[in-house]
Amino acid sequence: IDYETLYGPGAVGPPTTGFANAPAPLLPTRQVRETLTTPQRPSQVRTQARAAPPVRTASVRTAGVQRKTPVKAKTKINAVAMTSVTGSPGRGNAELLTAMRKVMKKAGWPVLTRPARNALTVTGNVKLFVPNGGQQKVAVAWTVRTPDGKVLGTVRQANNVPTGSLNKGWGKNATYVSQAAAQGIFKLVKKSQ
């Protein structure tokens, strides 16, 4: 009997004390070959497979655990980038953008001026309709995008104003419009988290 094959390098005989954590002996290579090549009935093969001592595979199993593929973490949104407003005459675009940035900051959001990987991007678009009897319809759309550019949603506002009243700018109305739109934007921001 080759004790080194059965009990590991340096073994000169079977262990004299029974350790609970002692490794199970390996089958000699010749015996494994005979088991695999000798024709047997299926019931004998199943029984022998269950009774065979375990083969040392600890290093393989450990290596398998260490090779787990890391799961890509979802990017945490912790800021809002208010980048632009277009379509308004006079100073209207700048006034709306400034007002919306103030509203978002007051709500506790870090406000950026450029898109970022950790920020939703919000852009505004103003549309003035053809005047009708001293009144003019104005519509504002605030589009919220994810960091990768996908549209998360759009908050739409519309109202009638006196014709030409926005030609020079929005004044205090920019704050009112921003406060009203902010509720819808907050809902979209929460949806993304």
Side-chain angles (χ1 to χ4, degrees):
I1 295 175
D2 183 359
Y3 289 111
E4 285 192 20
T5 303
L6 285 174
Y7 301 109
V12 291
T16 55
T17 57
F19 292 105
N21 295 327
L26 294 176
L27 286 173
T29 307
R30 184 184 57 223
Q31 202 173 359
V32 172
R33 270 197 221 114
E34 288 173 6
T35 302
L36 294 175
T37 57
T38 306
Q40 298 172 351
R41 291 194 306 269
S43 61
Q44 288 176 328
V45 172
R46 272 188 241 116
T47 304
Q48 190 172 9
R50 273 185 255 142
V55 178
R56 290 186 186 175
T57 57
S59 61
V60 174
R61 287 183 190 149
T62 304
V65 171
Q66 292 170 350
R67 288 186 202 150
K68 282 187 178 177
T69 305
V71 177
K72 189 175 180 181
K74 185 179 176 182
T75 303
K76 186 176 179 180
I77 302 297
N78 56 16
V80 177
M82 305 296 301
T83 58
S84 66
V85 176
T86 59
S88 185
R91 301 182 310 263
N93 292 334
E95 290 173 340
L96 282 171
L97 184 59
T98 301
M100 185 57 85
R101 285 177 178 165
K102 284 181 182 176
V103 169
M104 297 302 278
K105 281 182 185 177
K106 193 173 183 179
W109 279 93
V111 177
L112 309 176
T113 57
R114 295 182 200 162
R117 291 192 311 187
N118 66 335
L120 294 177
T121 301
V122 181
T123 56
N125 181 266
V126 178
K127 183 175 181 181
L128 294 172
F129 291 81
V130 177
N132 183 11
Q135 292 288 309
Q136 186 174 22
K137 182 179 178 181
V138 59
V140 183
W142 301 95
T143 303
V144 181
R145 290 183 171 82
T146 59
D148 60 358
K150 294 178 183 173
V151 174
L152 188 61
T154 301
V155 177
R156 300 182 187 280
Q157 299 170 286
N159 206 351
N160 290 322
V161 297
T163 300
S165 63
L166 300 177
N167 287 347
K168 293 184 180 179
W170 287 69
K172 291 182 180 179
N173 290 323
T175 301
Y176 303 140
V177 168
S178 299
Q179 288 172 341
Q183 297 303 316
I185 292 172
F186 294 151
K187 286 180 183 176
L188 292 174
V189 169
K190 286 181 183 177
K191 181 181 174 183
S192 73
Q193 294 178 322

PDB file of all heavy atoms in Angstrom, residues 68-106:
ATOM      1  N   LYS A  68     -16.322  35.323  -8.902  1.00  0.00           N
ATOM      2  CA  LYS A  68     -17.681  35.809  -9.115  1.00  0.00           C
ATOM      3  C   LYS A  68     -17.633  37.092  -9.930  1.00  0.00           C
ATOM      4  O   LYS A  68     -16.826  37.971  -9.681  1.00  0.00           O
ATOM      5  CB  LYS A  68     -18.381  36.079  -7.786  1.00  0.00           C
ATOM      6  CG  LYS A  68     -18.874  34.830  -7.116  1.00  0.00           C
ATOM      7  CD  LYS A  68     -19.681  35.193  -5.910  1.00  0.00           C
ATOM      8  CE  LYS A  68     -20.221  33.951  -5.240  1.00  0.00           C
ATOM      9  NZ  LYS A  68     -20.957  34.269  -4.022  1.00  0.00           N
ATOM     10  N   THR A  69     -18.548  37.191 -10.892  1.00  0.00           N
ATOM     11  CA  THR A  69     -18.601  38.376 -11.717  1.00  0.00           C
ATOM     12  C   THR A  69     -19.255  39.501 -10.926  1.00  0.00           C
ATOM     13  O   THR A  69     -20.360  39.329 -10.434  1.00  0.00           O
ATOM     14  CB  THR A  69     -19.435  38.093 -12.985  1.00  0.00           C
ATOM     15  OG1 THR A  69     -18.877  36.959 -13.637  1.00  0.00           O
ATOM     16  CG2 THR A  69     -19.444  39.285 -13.909  1.00  0.00           C
ATOM     17  N   PRO A  70     -18.573  40.630 -10.801  1.00  0.00           N
ATOM     18  CA  PRO A  70     -19.176  41.725 -10.034  1.00  0.00           C
ATOM     19  C   PRO A  70     -20.413  42.270 -10.745  1.00  0.00           C
ATOM     20  O   PRO A  70     -20.425  42.401 -11.954  1.00  0.00           O
ATOM     21  CB  PRO A  70     -18.066  42.775  -9.981  1.00  0.00           C
ATOM     22  CG  PRO A  70     -17.151  42.446 -11.104  1.00  0.00           C
ATOM     23  CD  PRO A  70     -17.274  40.968 -11.352  1.00  0.00           C
ATOM     24  N   VAL A  71     -21.453  42.561  -9.985  1.00  0.00           N
ATOM     25  CA  VAL A  71     -22.672  43.127 -10.537  1.00  0.00           C
ATOM     26  C   VAL A  71     -22.495  44.629 -10.606  1.00  0.00           C
ATOM     27  O   VAL A  71     -22.066  45.260  -9.652  1.00  0.00           O
ATOM     28  CB  VAL A  71     -23.884  42.778  -9.635  1.00  0.00           C
ATOM     29  CG1 VAL A  71     -25.149  43.423 -10.164  1.00  0.00           C
ATOM     30  CG2 VAL A  71     -24.041  41.277  -9.532  1.00  0.00           C
ATOM     31  N   LYS A  72     -22.820  45.182 -11.758  1.00  0.00           N
ATOM     32  CA  LYS A  72     -22.661  46.623 -11.931  1.00  0.00           C
ATOM     33  C   LYS A  72     -23.700  47.348 -11.072  1.00  0.00           C
ATOM     34  O   LYS A  72     -24.885  47.099 -11.173  1.00  0.00           O
ATOM     35  CB  LYS A  72     -22.851  46.986 -13.406  1.00  0.00           C
ATOM     36  CG  LYS A  72     -22.504  48.421 -13.709  1.00  0.00           C
ATOM     37  CD  LYS A  72     -22.599  48.695 -15.184  1.00  0.00           C
ATOM     38  CE  LYS A  72     -22.238  50.133 -15.484  1.00  0.00           C
ATOM     39  NZ  LYS A  72     -22.341  50.459 -16.888  1.00  0.00           N
ATOM     40  N   ALA A  73     -23.209  48.225 -10.222  1.00  0.00           N
ATOM     41  CA  ALA A  73     -24.103  48.949  -9.323  1.00  0.00           C
ATOM     42  C   ALA A  73     -24.835  50.052 -10.078  1.00  0.00           C
ATOM     43  O   ALA A  73     -24.291  50.676 -10.981  1.00  0.00           O
ATOM     44  CB  ALA A  73     -23.305  49.563  -8.176  1.00  0.00           C
ATOM     45  N   LYS A  74     -26.081  50.266  -9.691  1.00  0.00           N
ATOM     46  CA  LYS A  74     -26.861  51.333 -10.278  1.00  0.00           C
ATOM     47  C   LYS A  74     -26.294  52.673  -9.808  1.00  0.00           C
ATOM     48  O   LYS A  74     -25.984  52.851  -8.648  1.00  0.00           O
ATOM     49  CB  LYS A  74     -28.316  51.186  -9.838  1.00  0.00           C
ATOM     50  CG  LYS A  74     -29.232  52.172 -10.479  1.00  0.00           C
ATOM     51  CD  LYS A  74     -30.646  51.945 -10.019  1.00  0.00           C
ATOM     52  CE  LYS A  74     -31.565  52.999 -10.586  1.00  0.00           C
ATOM     53  NZ  LYS A  74     -32.929  52.830 -10.129  1.00  0.00           N
ATOM     54  N   THR A  75     -26.164  53.619 -10.758  1.00  0.00           N
ATOM     55  CA  THR A  75     -25.637  54.927 -10.416  1.00  0.00           C
ATOM     56  C   THR A  75     -26.631  55.664  -9.540  1.00  0.00           C
ATOM     57  O   THR A  75     -27.808  55.763  -9.868  1.00  0.00           O
ATOM     58  CB  THR A  75     -25.372  55.745 -11.699  1.00  0.00           C
ATOM     59  OG1 THR A  75     -24.484  55.009 -12.537  1.00  0.00           O
ATOM     60  CG2 THR A  75     -24.763  57.086 -11.367  1.00  0.00           C
ATOM     61  N   LYS A  76     -26.167  56.187  -8.424  1.00  0.00           N
ATOM     62  CA  LYS A  76     -27.033  56.917  -7.515  1.00  0.00           C
ATOM     63  C   LYS A  76     -27.184  58.352  -8.001  1.00  0.00           C
ATOM     64  O   LYS A  76     -26.210  59.041  -8.263  1.00  0.00           O
ATOM     65  CB  LYS A  76     -26.453  56.891  -6.102  1.00  0.00           C
ATOM     66  CG  LYS A  76     -27.374  57.499  -5.085  1.00  0.00           C
ATOM     67  CD  LYS A  76     -26.815  57.368  -3.696  1.00  0.00           C
ATOM     68  CE  LYS A  76     -27.772  58.019  -2.708  1.00  0.00           C
ATOM     69  NZ  LYS A  76     -27.275  57.931  -1.342  1.00  0.00           N
ATOM     70  N   ILE A  77     -28.440  58.795  -8.103  1.00  0.00           N
ATOM     71  CA  ILE A  77     -28.727  60.162  -8.516  1.00  0.00           C
ATOM     72  C   ILE A  77     -28.728  61.034  -7.264  1.00  0.00           C
ATOM     73  O   ILE A  77     -29.524  60.811  -6.353  1.00  0.00           O
ATOM     74  CB  ILE A  77     -30.094  60.254  -9.226  1.00  0.00           C
ATOM     75  CG1 ILE A  77     -30.139  59.323 -10.449  1.00  0.00           C
ATOM     76  CG2 ILE A  77     -30.415  61.690  -9.609  1.00  0.00           C
ATOM     77  CD1 ILE A  77     -29.155  59.660 -11.530  1.00  0.00           C
ATOM     78  N   ASN A  78     -27.851  62.025  -7.216  1.00  0.00           N
ATOM     79  CA  ASN A  78     -27.827  62.905  -6.054  1.00  0.00           C
ATOM     80  C   ASN A  78     -27.694  64.385  -6.427  1.00  0.00           C
ATOM     81  O   ASN A  78     -27.339  65.209  -5.598  1.00  0.00           O
ATOM     82  CB  ASN A  78     -26.717  62.503  -5.081  1.00  0.00           C
ATOM     83  CG  ASN A  78     -25.361  62.470  -5.738  1.00  0.00           C
ATOM     84  OD1 ASN A  78     -25.176  63.013  -6.812  1.00  0.00           O
ATOM     85  ND2 ASN A  78     -24.402  61.832  -5.103  1.00  0.00           N
ATOM     86  N   ALA A  79     -28.010  64.710  -7.689  1.00  0.00           N
ATOM     87  CA  ALA A  79     -27.964  66.100  -8.128  1.00  0.00           C
ATOM     88  C   ALA A  79     -28.878  66.285  -9.335  1.00  0.00           C
ATOM     89  O   ALA A  79     -29.321  65.301  -9.948  1.00  0.00           O
ATOM     90  CB  ALA A  79     -26.531  66.502  -8.492  1.00  0.00           C
ATOM     91  N   VAL A  80     -29.159  67.542  -9.654  1.00  0.00           N
ATOM     92  CA  VAL A  80     -29.955  67.881 -10.826  1.00  0.00           C
ATOM     93  C   VAL A  80     -29.170  68.910 -11.637  1.00  0.00           C
ATOM     94  O   VAL A  80     -28.676  69.895 -11.083  1.00  0.00           O
ATOM     95  CB  VAL A  80     -31.330  68.461 -10.419  1.00  0.00           C
ATOM     96  CG1 VAL A  80     -32.119  68.876 -11.652  1.00  0.00           C
ATOM     97  CG2 VAL A  80     -32.117  67.461  -9.609  1.00  0.00           C
ATOM     98  N   ALA A  81     -29.054  68.665 -12.924  1.00  0.00           N
ATOM     99  CA  ALA A  81     -28.365  69.606 -13.817  1.00  0.00           C
ATOM    100  C   ALA A  81     -29.420  70.408 -14.569  1.00  0.00           C
ATOM    101  O   ALA A  81     -30.144  69.863 -15.396  1.00  0.00           O
ATOM    102  CB  ALA A  81     -27.455  68.860 -14.784  1.00  0.00           C
ATOM    103  N   MET A  82     -29.545  71.673 -14.245  1.00  0.00           N
ATOM    104  CA  MET A  82     -30.464  72.575 -14.947  1.00  0.00           C
ATOM    105  C   MET A  82     -29.627  73.265 -16.027  1.00  0.00           C
ATOM    106  O   MET A  82     -28.874  74.191 -15.739  1.00  0.00           O
ATOM    107  CB  MET A  82     -31.043  73.613 -13.981  1.00  0.00           C
ATOM    108  CG  MET A  82     -31.721  73.037 -12.748  1.00  0.00           C
ATOM    109  SD  MET A  82     -33.177  72.069 -13.101  1.00  0.00           S
ATOM    110  CE  MET A  82     -34.198  73.225 -13.940  1.00  0.00           C
ATOM    111  N   THR A  83     -29.748  72.783 -17.270  1.00  0.00           N
ATOM    112  CA  THR A  83     -28.790  73.212 -18.287  1.00  0.00           C
ATOM    113  C   THR A  83     -29.258  74.347 -19.184  1.00  0.00           C
ATOM    114  O   THR A  83     -28.461  75.221 -19.522  1.00  0.00           O
ATOM    115  CB  THR A  83     -28.394  72.019 -19.164  1.00  0.00           C
ATOM    116  OG1 THR A  83     -29.565  71.464 -19.757  1.00  0.00           O
ATOM    117  CG2 THR A  83     -27.679  70.955 -18.342  1.00  0.00           C
ATOM    118  N   SER A  84     -30.540  74.346 -19.595  1.00  0.00           N
ATOM    119  CA  SER A  84     -30.947  75.392 -20.536  1.00  0.00           C
ATOM    120  C   SER A  84     -32.460  75.535 -20.600  1.00  0.00           C
ATOM    121  O   SER A  84     -33.198  74.613 -20.266  1.00  0.00           O
ATOM    122  CB  SER A  84     -30.411  75.084 -21.941  1.00  0.00           C
ATOM    123  OG  SER A  84     -31.039  73.910 -22.436  1.00  0.00           O
ATOM    124  N   VAL A  85     -32.873  76.722 -21.074  1.00  0.00           N
ATOM    125  CA  VAL A  85     -34.268  76.995 -21.425  1.00  0.00           C
ATOM    126  C   VAL A  85     -34.215  77.694 -22.776  1.00  0.00           C
ATOM    127  O   VAL A  85     -33.394  78.598 -22.989  1.00  0.00           O
ATOM    128  CB  VAL A  85     -34.964  77.890 -20.378  1.00  0.00           C
ATOM    129  CG1 VAL A  85     -36.384  78.232 -20.832  1.00  0.00           C
ATOM    130  CG2 VAL A  85     -35.003  77.212 -19.020  1.00  0.00           C
ATOM    131  N   THR A  86     -35.073  77.276 -23.693  1.00  0.00           N
ATOM    132  CA  THR A  86     -35.084  77.867 -25.035  1.00  0.00           C
ATOM    133  C   THR A  86     -36.505  78.296 -25.407  1.00  0.00           C
ATOM    134  O   THR A  86     -37.474  77.840 -24.812  1.00  0.00           O
ATOM    135  CB  THR A  86     -34.582  76.846 -26.081  1.00  0.00           C
ATOM    136  OG1 THR A  86     -35.430  75.683 -26.042  1.00  0.00           O
ATOM    137  CG2 THR A  86     -33.150  76.433 -25.825  1.00  0.00           C
ATOM    138  N   GLY A  87     -36.599  79.178 -26.411  1.00  0.00           N
ATOM    139  CA  GLY A  87     -37.888  79.531 -27.001  1.00  0.00           C
ATOM    140  C   GLY A  87     -38.548  80.789 -26.489  1.00  0.00           C
ATOM    141  O   GLY A  87     -39.545  81.235 -27.053  1.00  0.00           O
ATOM    142  N   SER A  88     -38.053  81.370 -25.432  1.00  0.00           N
ATOM    143  CA  SER A  88     -38.690  82.555 -24.856  1.00  0.00           C
ATOM    144  C   SER A  88     -38.033  83.820 -25.398  1.00  0.00           C
ATOM    145  O   SER A  88     -36.813  83.874 -25.549  1.00  0.00           O
ATOM    146  CB  SER A  88     -38.562  82.512 -23.332  1.00  0.00           C
ATOM    147  OG  SER A  88     -39.259  83.591 -22.749  1.00  0.00           O
ATOM    148  N   PRO A  89     -38.819  84.852 -25.666  1.00  0.00           N
ATOM    149  CA  PRO A  89     -38.221  86.102 -26.155  1.00  0.00           C
ATOM    150  C   PRO A  89     -37.534  86.879 -25.032  1.00  0.00           C
ATOM    151  O   PRO A  89     -37.750  86.609 -23.850  1.00  0.00           O
ATOM    152  CB  PRO A  89     -39.438  86.880 -26.696  1.00  0.00           C
ATOM    153  CG  PRO A  89     -40.604  86.350 -25.932  1.00  0.00           C
ATOM    154  CD  PRO A  89     -40.289  84.913 -25.618  1.00  0.00           C
ATOM    155  N   GLY A  90     -36.711  87.837 -25.422  1.00  0.00           N
ATOM    156  CA  GLY A  90     -36.038  88.717 -24.459  1.00  0.00           C
ATOM    157  C   GLY A  90     -35.175  87.949 -23.467  1.00  0.00           C
ATOM    158  O   GLY A  90     -34.461  87.014 -23.830  1.00  0.00           O
ATOM    159  N   ARG A  91     -35.258  88.352 -22.189  1.00  0.00           N
ATOM    160  CA  ARG A  91     -34.475  87.702 -21.127  1.00  0.00           C
ATOM    161  C   ARG A  91     -35.184  86.473 -20.554  1.00  0.00           C
ATOM    162  O   ARG A  91     -34.748  85.915 -19.551  1.00  0.00           O
ATOM    163  CB  ARG A  91     -34.238  88.710 -19.988  1.00  0.00           C
ATOM    164  CG  ARG A  91     -33.493  89.964 -20.403  1.00  0.00           C
ATOM    165  CD  ARG A  91     -33.252  90.874 -19.207  1.00  0.00           C
ATOM    166  NE  ARG A  91     -34.464  91.126 -18.419  1.00  0.00           N
ATOM    167  CZ  ARG A  91     -35.253  92.182 -18.512  1.00  0.00           C
ATOM    168  NH1 ARG A  91     -34.970  93.124 -19.382  1.00  0.00           N
ATOM    169  NH2 ARG A  91     -36.320  92.329 -17.746  1.00  0.00           N
ATOM    170  N   GLY A  92     -36.279  86.081 -21.133  1.00  0.00           N
ATOM    171  CA  GLY A  92     -37.117  85.013 -20.589  1.00  0.00           C
ATOM    172  C   GLY A  92     -36.399  83.703 -20.334  1.00  0.00           C
ATOM    173  O   GLY A  92     -36.592  83.064 -19.289  1.00  0.00           O
ATOM    174  N   ASN A  93     -35.561  83.271 -21.264  1.00  0.00           N
ATOM    175  CA  ASN A  93     -34.845  81.984 -21.078  1.00  0.00           C
ATOM    176  C   ASN A  93     -33.965  82.013 -19.831  1.00  0.00           C
ATOM    177  O   ASN A  93     -34.004  81.110 -19.005  1.00  0.00           O
ATOM    178  CB  ASN A  93     -33.991  81.664 -22.310  1.00  0.00           C
ATOM    179  CG  ASN A  93     -34.824  81.365 -23.533  1.00  0.00           C
ATOM    180  OD1 ASN A  93     -35.971  80.920 -23.430  1.00  0.00           O
ATOM    181  ND2 ASN A  93     -34.259  81.618 -24.705  1.00  0.00           N
ATOM    182  N   ALA A  94     -33.172  83.075 -19.695  1.00  0.00           N
ATOM    183  CA  ALA A  94     -32.263  83.199 -18.545  1.00  0.00           C
ATOM    184  C   ALA A  94     -33.049  83.328 -17.244  1.00  0.00           C
ATOM    185  O   ALA A  94     -32.675  82.748 -16.219  1.00  0.00           O
ATOM    186  CB  ALA A  94     -31.331  84.388 -18.738  1.00  0.00           C
ATOM    187  N   GLU A  95     -34.153  84.067 -17.268  1.00  0.00           N
ATOM    188  CA  GLU A  95     -34.956  84.246 -16.059  1.00  0.00           C
ATOM    189  C   GLU A  95     -35.585  82.924 -15.595  1.00  0.00           C
ATOM    190  O   GLU A  95     -35.583  82.608 -14.398  1.00  0.00           O
ATOM    191  CB  GLU A  95     -36.049  85.301 -16.291  1.00  0.00           C
ATOM    192  CG  GLU A  95     -35.502  86.707 -16.426  1.00  0.00           C
ATOM    193  CD  GLU A  95     -36.571  87.715 -16.819  1.00  0.00           C
ATOM    194  OE1 GLU A  95     -37.625  87.315 -17.341  1.00  0.00           O
ATOM    195  OE2 GLU A  95     -36.333  88.920 -16.612  1.00  0.00           O
ATOM    196  N   LEU A  96     -36.119  82.169 -16.530  1.00  0.00           N
ATOM    197  CA  LEU A  96     -36.714  80.869 -16.174  1.00  0.00           C
ATOM    198  C   LEU A  96     -35.666  79.902 -15.645  1.00  0.00           C
ATOM    199  O   LEU A  96     -35.901  79.200 -14.667  1.00  0.00           O
ATOM    200  CB  LEU A  96     -37.429  80.258 -17.386  1.00  0.00           C
ATOM    201  CG  LEU A  96     -38.804  80.830 -17.716  1.00  0.00           C
ATOM    202  CD1 LEU A  96     -39.288  80.284 -19.062  1.00  0.00           C
ATOM    203  CD2 LEU A  96     -39.802  80.490 -16.633  1.00  0.00           C
ATOM    204  N   LEU A  97     -34.509  79.884 -16.283  1.00  0.00           N
ATOM    205  CA  LEU A  97     -33.434  78.985 -15.855  1.00  0.00           C
ATOM    206  C   LEU A  97     -32.958  79.343 -14.444  1.00  0.00           C
ATOM    207  O   LEU A  97     -32.819  78.465 -13.581  1.00  0.00           O
ATOM    208  CB  LEU A  97     -32.266  79.047 -16.849  1.00  0.00           C
ATOM    209  CG  LEU A  97     -31.104  78.087 -16.599  1.00  0.00           C
ATOM    210  CD1 LEU A  97     -31.561  76.637 -16.619  1.00  0.00           C
ATOM    211  CD2 LEU A  97     -30.000  78.308 -17.634  1.00  0.00           C
ATOM    212  N   THR A  98     -32.750  80.612 -14.199  1.00  0.00           N
ATOM    213  CA  THR A  98     -32.309  81.065 -12.875  1.00  0.00           C
ATOM    214  C   THR A  98     -33.363  80.752 -11.814  1.00  0.00           C
ATOM    215  O   THR A  98     -33.042  80.271 -10.723  1.00  0.00           O
ATOM    216  CB  THR A  98     -32.006  82.581 -12.896  1.00  0.00           C
ATOM    217  OG1 THR A  98     -30.983  82.825 -13.860  1.00  0.00           O
ATOM    218  CG2 THR A  98     -31.544  83.071 -11.541  1.00  0.00           C
ATOM    219  N   ALA A  99     -34.624  81.005 -12.134  1.00  0.00           N
ATOM    220  CA  ALA A  99     -35.714  80.745 -11.177  1.00  0.00           C
ATOM    221  C   ALA A  99     -35.812  79.257 -10.850  1.00  0.00           C
ATOM    222  O   ALA A  99     -35.967  78.872  -9.681  1.00  0.00           O
ATOM    223  CB  ALA A  99     -37.035  81.260 -11.735  1.00  0.00           C
ATOM    224  N   MET A 100     -35.694  78.400 -11.869  1.00  0.00           N
ATOM    225  CA  MET A 100     -35.796  76.954 -11.628  1.00  0.00           C
ATOM    226  C   MET A 100     -34.604  76.459 -10.804  1.00  0.00           C
ATOM    227  O   MET A 100     -34.768  75.615  -9.918  1.00  0.00           O
ATOM    228  CB  MET A 100     -35.889  76.193 -12.948  1.00  0.00           C
ATOM    229  CG  MET A 100     -36.118  74.701 -12.766  1.00  0.00           C
ATOM    230  SD  MET A 100     -37.604  74.288 -11.800  1.00  0.00           S
ATOM    231  CE  MET A 100     -38.842  74.338 -13.079  1.00  0.00           C
ATOM    232  N   ARG A 101     -33.432  76.970 -11.058  1.00  0.00           N
ATOM    233  CA  ARG A 101     -32.261  76.582 -10.250  1.00  0.00           C
ATOM    234  C   ARG A 101     -32.461  76.962  -8.784  1.00  0.00           C
ATOM    235  O   ARG A 101     -32.131  76.194  -7.882  1.00  0.00           O
ATOM    236  CB  ARG A 101     -30.992  77.235 -10.805  1.00  0.00           C
ATOM    237  CG  ARG A 101     -30.489  76.588 -12.082  1.00  0.00           C
ATOM    238  CD  ARG A 101     -29.272  77.303 -12.625  1.00  0.00           C
ATOM    239  NE  ARG A 101     -28.768  76.635 -13.819  1.00  0.00           N
ATOM    240  CZ  ARG A 101     -27.904  77.179 -14.660  1.00  0.00           C
ATOM    241  NH1 ARG A 101     -27.428  78.397 -14.439  1.00  0.00           N
ATOM    242  NH2 ARG A 101     -27.493  76.509 -15.720  1.00  0.00           N
ATOM    243  N   LYS A 102     -33.012  78.147  -8.537  1.00  0.00           N
ATOM    244  CA  LYS A 102     -33.261  78.583  -7.158  1.00  0.00           C
ATOM    245  C   LYS A 102     -34.277  77.678  -6.468  1.00  0.00           C
ATOM    246  O   LYS A 102     -34.115  77.318  -5.298  1.00  0.00           O
ATOM    247  CB  LYS A 102     -33.754  80.032  -7.145  1.00  0.00           C
ATOM    248  CG  LYS A 102     -32.668  81.049  -7.376  1.00  0.00           C
ATOM    249  CD  LYS A 102     -33.224  82.467  -7.337  1.00  0.00           C
ATOM    250  CE  LYS A 102     -32.131  83.486  -7.622  1.00  0.00           C
ATOM    251  NZ  LYS A 102     -32.668  84.863  -7.686  1.00  0.00           N
ATOM    252  N   VAL A 103     -35.346  77.326  -7.179  1.00  0.00           N
ATOM    253  CA  VAL A 103     -36.382  76.456  -6.599  1.00  0.00           C
ATOM    254  C   VAL A 103     -35.798  75.094  -6.247  1.00  0.00           C
ATOM    255  O   VAL A 103     -36.061  74.548  -5.166  1.00  0.00           O
ATOM    256  CB  VAL A 103     -37.580  76.310  -7.573  1.00  0.00           C
ATOM    257  CG1 VAL A 103     -38.523  75.211  -7.124  1.00  0.00           C
ATOM    258  CG2 VAL A 103     -38.324  77.631  -7.695  1.00  0.00           C
ATOM    259  N   MET A 104     -34.990  74.538  -7.125  1.00  0.00           N
ATOM    260  CA  MET A 104     -34.395  73.217  -6.875  1.00  0.00           C
ATOM    261  C   MET A 104     -33.400  73.279  -5.702  1.00  0.00           C
ATOM    262  O   MET A 104     -33.369  72.382  -4.863  1.00  0.00           O
ATOM    263  CB  MET A 104     -33.701  72.681  -8.134  1.00  0.00           C
ATOM    264  CG  MET A 104     -34.643  72.456  -9.307  1.00  0.00           C
ATOM    265  SD  MET A 104     -35.986  71.304  -8.950  1.00  0.00           S
ATOM    266  CE  MET A 104     -35.168  69.762  -9.203  1.00  0.00           C
ATOM    267  N   LYS A 105     -32.609  74.344  -5.640  1.00  0.00           N
ATOM    268  CA  LYS A 105     -31.662  74.503  -4.518  1.00  0.00           C
ATOM    269  C   LYS A 105     -32.407  74.644  -3.194  1.00  0.00           C
ATOM    270  O   LYS A 105     -32.022  74.068  -2.189  1.00  0.00           O
ATOM    271  CB  LYS A 105     -30.765  75.734  -4.737  1.00  0.00           C
ATOM    272  CG  LYS A 105     -29.629  75.502  -5.702  1.00  0.00           C
ATOM    273  CD  LYS A 105     -28.770  76.745  -5.831  1.00  0.00           C
ATOM    274  CE  LYS A 105     -27.710  76.557  -6.897  1.00  0.00           C
ATOM    275  NZ  LYS A 105     -26.902  77.772  -7.086  1.00  0.00           N
ATOM    276  N   LYS A 106     -33.488  75.427  -3.214  1.00  0.00           N
ATOM    277  CA  LYS A 106     -34.281  75.633  -2.003  1.00  0.00           C
ATOM    278  C   LYS A 106     -34.892  74.311  -1.523  1.00  0.00           C
ATOM    279  O   LYS A 106     -35.079  74.108  -0.326  1.00  0.00           O
ATOM    280  CB  LYS A 106     -35.380  76.661  -2.272  1.00  0.00           C
ATOM    281  CG  LYS A 106     -36.056  77.163  -1.031  1.00  0.00           C
ATOM    282  CD  LYS A 106     -37.006  78.309  -1.351  1.00  0.00           C
ATOM    283  CE  LYS A 106     -37.621  78.832  -0.070  1.00  0.00           C
ATOM    284  NZ  LYS A 106     -38.524  79.961  -0.328  1.00  0.00           N
TER     285      LYS A 106
END
